[in-house]
Amino acid sequence: MNKIHTIETARCFLCQSVCYTAMHGICQPCSADLAPNNGSLCRCGLPFHSIINDSERPLCGRCLHRPPAFSALHAPYRYQYPLNTLLPAYKYRRRLDVERALFDLLPATAPGHFDAAVPIPLHWRRHWWRGFNQAHRLAHAAGARWDMPVLSCLRRQRPTRTQQGMSAKARAKNISHAFSCVRPVHGLRLLLIDDVVTTGATVSEASQCLLAAGAQSVEVWALARTLLD
Ligand SMILES: [Zn+2]
Ligand SMILES: [Zn+2]
């Protein structure tokens, strides 16, 4: 009886096939669908359409127009299937069983040398409603794996409207001056952590806040990057 129960519960979250490894929430063939975000990337984490040979790391058109406040963005995957199924299931349907599969996607090593990992906060009201902050949990998982302290120094000064479906310009306006820094960060090299970066407006605003508070540098790490048209 016990054995049958174990097999029944160890099903892939995506395709429902039995996971014999039972270590992950998704099976091996579904893991192979993950799209790595590699190639020639801009500072904002978006791929260039042509091959770039310049070692100076040029900026894409959007960044030339509005340079991001952070100095680099690291996102190992593209926000498309299966992450666009897994992350909403985790965030909006509180599928904590998916969490382990997502945390397994954290690279073994940090993307550089940092003094602390800083999660993007939710406004307390949304945090209370959702019951947890996915960026906070991701930052703690990353901090444990990369041997890096977690510094929850950012606060949302005001609630912001959910940004789904908003244009880049509307997102930038919606998030403007949304954060405050409530702990000393002077001289620190910080790594901002979020689950997914869409236009970059949120992480850029948070970076600006940390730099204004005296941080030496801010880079961003997210599990996934949305490709823009
Ligand atoms: Zn599967
Ligand atoms: Zn760019």
Side-chain angles (χ1 to χ4, degrees), residues 54-218:
D54 192 348
S55 58
E56 285 293 304
R57 298 204 67 183
L59 298 175
C60 70
R62 290 178 71 250
C63 291
L64 280 173
H65 177 64
R66 187 193 282 259
F70 49 83
S71 43
L73 188 150
H74 314 274
Y77 297 101
R78 292 178 179 176
Y79 192 59
Q80 57 197 57
Y81 186 83
L83 280 175
N84 61 5
T85 299
L86 291 169
L87 273 170
Y90 174 45
K91 270 158 74 168
Y92 303 119
R93 291 192 274 132
R94 307 182 196 197
R95 288 293 301 243
L96 293 177
D97 56 334
V98 175
E99 183 180 80
R100 196 169 54 177
L102 294 173
F103 288 1
D104 278 344
L105 300 177
L106 282 163
T109 53
H113 295 287
F114 303 96
D115 298 305
V118 178
I120 291 286
L122 293 173
H123 188 260
W124 67 266
R125 219 180 293 161
R126 190 168 295 165
H127 193 156
W128 173 80
W129 186 83
R130 193 178 288 175
F132 71 105
N133 172 3
Q134 72 284 352
H136 192 258
R137 292 181 69 90
L138 194 56
H140 277 275
R145 183 161 298 186
W146 300 337
D147 199 19
M148 193 186 294
V150 175
L151 187 62
S152 295
C153 58
L154 288 174
R155 292 283 179 277
R156 293 259 182 180
Q157 306 199 85
R158 56 181 174 81
T160 48
R161 287 187 296 134
T162 183
Q163 308 207 95
Q164 259 173 344
M166 275 191 198
S167 69
K169 205 173 170 186
R171 280 172 188 247
K173 194 176 172 204
N174 183 47
I175 203 74
S176 175
H177 302 292
F179 298 104
S180 61
C181 184
V182 296
R183 303 259 187 91
V185 294
H186 201 269
L188 297 182
R189 297 162 303 173
L190 300 173
L191 183 62
L192 259 180
I193 308 275
D194 208 353
D195 54 338
V196 55
V197 169
T198 306
T199 63
T202 302
V203 286
S204 192
E205 186 68 29
S207 302
Q208 211 165 348
C209 174
L210 294 170
L211 291 167
Q216 187 191 112
S217 62
V218 181

Side-chain angles (χ1 to χ4, degrees), residues 12-17 19 26-31:
C12 171
F13 177 77
L14 294 165
C15 69
Q16 305 304 317
S17 70
C19 284
I26 54 174
C27 69
Q28 272 300 328
C30 284
S31 305

